[in-house]
Amino acid sequence: MVSRVLLTGAGGRVGQAILDGIGDDYDWRLLDRDPPTENPDHEFVIADITDPDEMREAMQGVDAVVHLAGDPRPEAPWDSVLRNNIDGTKVVLDAAVDADVDKFAFASSNHAVAHYETERKPDLYRTHDEFKLDGTELPRPGNLYGVSKAAGETLGRYYHDEHDLSFVSVRIGNLTKGHPPIDYERGQAMWLSHRDCAHLFDCCLEAEYDYEIVYGISDNDRKYYSLERAKEVLGYSPRDNSAHFDGDERVE
Amino acid sequence: MVSRVLLTGAGGRVGQAILDGIGDDYDWRLLDRDPPTENPDHEFVIADITDPDEMREAMQGVDAVVHLAGDPRPEAPWDSVLRNNIDGTKVVLDAAVDADVDKFAFASSNHAVAHYETERKPDLYRTHDEFKLDGTELPRPGNLYGVSKAAGETLGRYYHDEHDLSFVSVRIGNLTKGHPPIDYERGQAMWLSHRDCAHLFDCCLEAEYDYEIVYGISDNDRKYYSLERAKEVLGYSPRDNSAHFDGDERVE
């Protein structure tokens, strides 16, 4: 049973969506490089994920990790993603294995596979198009940030195979609060609502799995990412769908 | 037509096998961090692949790159493969794109997929076993060196998709001179003879391709790597087979 969870990058958008939804369900240890902007509801550690000593200390007594920290910018320069996203993920994985952590949920990204869209857009974003990515495909990153996320997935595979750590890579789509992106077909195709986001990471903490790559999106009519593995292995049961909105209004 | 070829890591074992076989067929620019041990037959540049300025200069007038440089040790520590293999490959790719290079052959490794063997050995190494990896599978590295090679493959995919660079990743098996490894079934399954190695990289310089991942082994009876893509796309026609040896003696 997962009780104590370390959440890295707790101050970011994904972290906030998770805490809004399942903040009361676990004994959270929040971690961020920057101090919290308001008084946190949970234990808060200010640390840099690229620092092995700080991460070893932050990992004490932890059952599971939700690893969101890293440079989140799609246009981030190589030096930053090399250090923060690739090397940083390695540091967090080492600390997790040293502390006998059971489960590790990694925030990967749609950018790890964005170049599959190049020859297929915009049809791909529309409901008549049947093409779907399912997580078994090789990465085709759309930027160096996406390269770094793919490298994190491979590191996770290695740590799973070597240390039997349960590892799930969540290729997060377009997370927005309240309603899907407006006038942006790609964003509607890969929309992830806040409550579906929190529920999906809850599944990552509760389910039993070995190594998984899943897509983190709501059940959008326009989707070109399969939700099969997330549903089957993790028990993900999304409640939202960008087709149920007209602009910022829920219509269904 | 490829004429001038930059060979990084020219002083290593793979580089020597290539030069022994096709040294007379191209206008080589050899590059290594260390000076040559004997008088080289070709232009020789002493440079570090992690230095962008040195690489930009080394790339002038080059049609194709065979990128072998990096820390070759399966047990190499993370800091070294992060810098030399991951970051170094990025530096070489940047220089190649800046110089309008057409083709880029990357020395990947069997270590990028070694954990596929874990639950299948030793049957996998024997002729009755039908299981084969074909290059479409996700990486399952057996060590951090393998993680770094998988990251290099993903970088290549990104540079191909962004810059239309023809990129081939050669997952090199067990290269030995003269005869296959003795009393080592895995090595016999993934043996790569010197002449097949030179021929395969010759194919990488002559064939037309987009992005490929191929296995670099001889046509061994024991193989669990498919040669289909290498044969179909690159025209690879291996002449050796570890089954044709009894110890260090060719028997067929």
Side-chain angles (χ1 to χ4, degrees), chain B residues 11-36:
Chain B
R13 293 185 317 118
V14 179
Q16 288 309 304
I18 292 172
L19 292 171
D20 284 350
I22 57 172
D24 294 339
D25 299 349
Y26 298 93
D27 181 10
W28 295 96
R29 181 176 293 158
L30 311 183
L31 184 146
D32 207 286
R33 202 163 56 175
D34 301 315

Side-chain angles (χ1 to χ4, degrees), chain B residues 113-132:
Chain B
V113 289
H115 258 302
Y116 281 101
E117 299 167 32
T118 308
E119 292 135 26
R120 293 186 180 91
K121 60 186 179 189
D123 282 330
L124 184 67
Y125 310 140
R126 296 174 182 173
T127 52
H128 66 83
D129 189 285
E130 297 288 317
F131 179 82
K132 282 204 175 47

Side-chain angles (χ1 to χ4, degrees), chain B residues 1-77:
Chain B
M1 266 294 290
V2 166
S3 166
R4 173 160 288 214
V5 183
L6 178 68
L7 180 70
T8 74
R13 293 185 317 118
V14 179
Q16 288 309 304
I18 292 172
L19 292 171
D20 284 350
I22 57 172
D24 294 339
D25 299 349
Y26 298 93
D27 181 10
W28 295 96
R29 181 176 293 158
L30 311 183
L31 184 146
D32 207 286
R33 202 163 56 175
D34 301 315
T37 48
E38 48 192 83
N39 213 17
D41 294 333
H42 310 277
E43 182 184 354
F44 199 104
V45 177
I46 299 170
D48 188 321
I49 58 159
T50 66
D51 185 315
D53 293 331
E54 290 183 3
M55 289 315 298
R56 204 173 297 118
E57 198 177 322
M59 205 64 77
Q60 294 308 312
V62 162
D63 300 312
V65 178
V66 175
H67 175 43
L68 312 174
D71 193 326
R73 297 171 297 165
E75 70 284 5

Side-chain angles (χ1 to χ4, degrees), chain B residues 47-191:
Chain B
D48 188 321
I49 58 159
T50 66
D51 185 315
D53 293 331
E54 290 183 3
M55 289 315 298
R56 204 173 297 118
E57 198 177 322
M59 205 64 77
Q60 294 308 312
V62 162
D63 300 312
V65 178
V66 175
H67 175 43
L68 312 174
D71 193 326
R73 297 171 297 165
E75 70 284 5
W78 174 246
D79 286 353
S80 176
V81 297
L82 183 70
R83 175 168 176 75
N84 293 302
N85 299 14
I86 301 179
D87 190 32
T89 296
K90 163 78 165 54
V91 171
V92 178
L93 281 163
D94 278 330
V97 163
D98 283 352
D100 258 335
V101 160
D102 293 325
K103 292 177 186 169
F104 195 108
F106 171 61
S108 184
S109 166
N110 65 84
H111 293 282
V113 289
H115 258 302
Y116 281 101
E117 299 167 32
T118 308
E119 292 135 26
R120 293 186 180 91
K121 60 186 179 189
D123 282 330
L124 184 67
Y125 310 140
R126 296 174 182 173
T127 52
H128 66 83
D129 189 285
E130 297 288 317
F131 179 82
K132 282 204 175 47
L133 299 171
D134 65 8
T136 61
E137 59 279 337
L138 287 166
R140 285 187 67 177
N143 44 47
L144 293 167
Y145 167 78
V147 170
S148 77
K149 288 299 178 181
E153 294 183 353
T154 306
L155 277 165
R157 178 81 238 192
Y158 173 64
Y159 278 75
H160 167 70
D161 283 333
E162 282 290 308
H163 304 288
D164 212 27
L165 175 71
S166 293
F167 185 96
V168 57
S169 191
V170 181
R171 291 180 176 165
I172 297 172
N174 194 320
L175 178 74
T176 60
K177 196 164 185 174
H179 61 81
I182 296 172
D183 292 334
Y184 176 40
E185 289 185 280
R186 182 176 189 265
Q188 289 162 6
M190 61 168 70
W191 184 47

Side-chain angles (χ1 to χ4, degrees), chain A residues 78-79 82 86-87 90-91 115-116 118-119 135-144 146-147 150-151 153-155 157-162 171 211 213, chain B residues 78-79 82 86-87 90-91 115-116 118-119 135-144 146-147 150-151 153-155 157-162 171 211 213:
Chain A
W78 174 246
D79 286 353
L82 183 70
I86 300 179
D87 191 32
K90 164 77 165 53
V91 171
H115 258 302
Y116 280 101
T118 308
E119 291 135 28
T136 61
E137 59 280 337
L138 286 167
R140 286 187 65 178
N143 44 47
L144 293 167
V147 170
E153 294 183 351
T154 306
L155 277 165
R157 178 82 238 193
Y158 173 64
Y159 278 75
H160 168 70
D161 282 333
E162 282 289 308
R171 291 180 177 166
Y211 176 83
I213 295 175
Chain B
W78 174 246
D79 286 353
L82 183 70
I86 301 179
D87 190 32
K90 163 78 165 54
V91 171
H115 258 302
Y116 281 101
T118 308
E119 292 135 26
T136 61
E137 59 279 337
L138 287 166
R140 285 187 67 177
N143 44 47
L144 293 167
V147 170
E153 294 183 353
T154 306
L155 277 165
R157 178 81 238 192
Y158 173 64
Y159 278 75
H160 167 70
D161 283 333
E162 282 290 308
R171 291 180 176 165
Y211 177 83
I213 295 175

